[in-house]
């Protein structure tokens, strides 16, 4: 079931990218290690801690090329007011969550609200000291909505990072055709794994935060979810994604989104 859902969701995601997009998929697996509920409980720690989390981010590298080097072996991209370069999907605690570009533009503020962060470390510093190869990705979705009887503010943020201080698994930052600044080789495909053995040089972790506030204007009551999970990564697989548009793309996307929305649990108070 989970593999079917991932396949359907990937199809729907690809249908939202333009045919000119150059796409990479960062698929990850891990185990939830911590749960924090600061508002109404969204995840039960006793039921969720120790369980598996899986998901992926899809990156449009044509948009990420706006980033640039920040020193000898560090490259950074921060997007807070442009169309998003990342879309994400994850499954945890029996629920499915998606961060899609459909909400990148915020009508309330007439601007993009993105907050995407991408960091890439590889190579050697000017001092001659090598750095640990590592990738860090953060995707955020924010939207506000005026309801018939209240106001809704919703925010989700997914981030994860993984590194290896012993093995050089990333291509060093370097010149790229068509770019005036050095860039990482985002088309590089690889599999990063961590079996948890001591002194293996590998670290990988992440977090997912869910915040939702609904204010009922008639009763002035507020429903507030402010929850987050932390997880340790065991595997990240990076691969190029081929997308060939077809006349059925929009129809597939709509069916997939309807299917996912029905499966996704929307938190509510009893």
């Amino acid at each position: 079931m989970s593999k079917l859902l991932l396949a359907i969701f990937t199809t729907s995601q690809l249908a939202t990218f333009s045919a000119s997009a150059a796409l990479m998929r960062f698929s990850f697996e891990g185990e939830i290690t911590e749960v924090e509920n600061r508002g109404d409980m969204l995840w039960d720690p006793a039921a969720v801690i120790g369980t598996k989390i899986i998901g992926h981010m899809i990156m449009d590298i044509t948009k990420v090329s706006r980033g640039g080097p920040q020193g000898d072996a560090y490259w950074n991209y921060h997007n807070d007011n442009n169309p998003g370069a990342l879309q994400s999907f994850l499954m945890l605690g029996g629920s499915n969550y998606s961060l899609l570009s459909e909400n990148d533009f915020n009508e309330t503020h007439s601007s993009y609200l993105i907050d995407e962060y991408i960091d890439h470390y590889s190579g050697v510093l000017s001092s001659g000291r090598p750095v640990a190869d590592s990738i860090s990705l953060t995707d955020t979705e924010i939207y506000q909505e005026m309801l018939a009887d209240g106001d809704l503010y919703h925010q989700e943020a997914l981030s994860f990072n993984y590194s290896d201080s012993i093995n050089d698994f990333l291509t060093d930052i370097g010149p790229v055709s068509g770019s005036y600044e050095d860039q990482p080789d985002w088309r590089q495909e690889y599999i990063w794994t961590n079996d948890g053995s001591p002194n293996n040089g590998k670290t990988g972790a992440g977090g997912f935060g869910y915040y939702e506030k609904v204010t009922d204007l008639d009763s002035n009551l507020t429903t507030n979810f402010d929850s987050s999970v932390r997880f340790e990564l065991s595997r990240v697989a990076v691969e190029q994604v081929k997308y060939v548009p077809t006349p059925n793309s929009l129809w597939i996307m709509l069916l997939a989104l309807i299917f996912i929305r029905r499966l996704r649990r929307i938190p509510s108070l009893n």
Side-chain angles (χ1 to χ4, degrees):
M1 180 62 181
S2 61
K3 291 183 179 179
L4 173 62
L5 185 57
L6 282 168
I8 293 175
F9 184 82
T10 298
T11 301
S12 70
Q13 277 186 305
L14 297 183
T16 66
F17 286 99
S18 69
S20 62
L23 308 178
M24 297 298 295
R25 177 168 50 219
F26 295 73
S27 302
F28 63 90
E29 299 177 10
E31 181 179 301
I32 297 174
T33 58
E34 181 181 341
V35 176
E36 183 175 1
N37 292 297
R38 294 169 291 274
D40 298 319
M41 188 170 70
L42 183 59
W43 298 295
D44 180 1
V48 171
I49 290 178
T51 63
K52 188 175 183 180
I53 181 171
I54 62 172
H56 65 257
M57 281 189 187
I58 293 181
M59 173 195 293
D60 183 349
I61 63 176
T62 61
K63 296 178 180 178
V64 172
S65 61
R66 301 189 193 105
Q70 307 292 323
D72 300 314
Y74 168 45
W75 181 95
N76 170 260
Y77 166 88
H78 175 213
N79 176 23
D80 62 355
N81 194 26
N82 285 291
L86 299 174
Q87 294 187 21
S88 304
F89 172 73
L90 67 154
M91 302 173 63
L92 70 93
S95 297
N96 313 292
Y97 301 88
S98 56
L99 290 72
L100 303 181
S101 57
E102 60 187 8
N103 295 307
D104 284 354
F105 189 79
N106 188 283
E107 297 289 348
T108 301
H109 297 282
S110 299
S111 64
Y112 287 93
L113 294 179
I114 306 297
D115 275 345
E116 291 179 340
Y117 294 87
I118 301 173
D119 297 293
H120 182 287
Y121 291 85
S122 65
V124 180
L125 300 175
S126 56
S127 63
R129 183 176 65 86
V131 301
D133 281 9
S134 65
I135 294 285
S136 178
L137 304 171
T138 298
D139 187 16
T140 305
E141 181 177 55
I142 303 171
Y143 62 85
Q144 295 172 269
E145 186 177 351
M146 299 291 294
L147 305 176
D149 55 354
D151 297 328
L152 166 68
Y153 178 86
H154 182 95
Q155 177 174 324
E156 295 177 52
L158 171 66
S159 63
F160 60 90
N161 59 82
Y162 51 99
S163 68
D164 192 325
S165 61
I166 297 177
N167 304 295
D168 293 329
F169 71 97
L170 295 175
T171 302
D172 291 348
I173 302 167
V176 174
S177 176
S179 175
Y180 65 92
E181 288 189 301
D182 291 350
Q183 302 285 329
D185 179 12
W186 292 116
R187 298 179 187 271
Q188 180 186 357
E189 298 182 312
Y190 56 88
I191 296 178
W192 175 97
T193 59
N194 185 7
D195 60 6
S197 58
N199 303 318
N200 66 1
K202 298 181 179 182
T203 60
F208 176 63
Y210 184 105
Y211 178 84
E212 184 170 274
K213 182 177 181 180
V214 180
T215 302
D216 189 315
L217 297 181
D218 293 332
S219 63
N220 204 32
L221 295 176
T222 297
T223 302
N224 182 19
F225 292 94
D226 186 2
S227 302
S228 62
V229 301
R230 295 288 302 167
F231 53 88
E232 298 292 330
L233 288 175
S234 57
R235 185 178 191 271
V236 178
V238 182
E239 60 182 341
Q240 298 185 48
V241 180
K242 305 297 183 183
Y243 171 52
V244 180
T246 67
N248 293 326
S249 292
L250 181 59
W251 179 241
I252 293 172
M253 178 190 69
L254 292 174
L255 287 177
L257 289 177
I258 291 171
F259 180 71
I260 291 168
R261 294 299 184 187
R262 286 180 176 177
L263 283 179
R264 176 176 173 175
R265 296 178 182 174
I266 301 177
S268 60
L269 290 177
N270 295 322

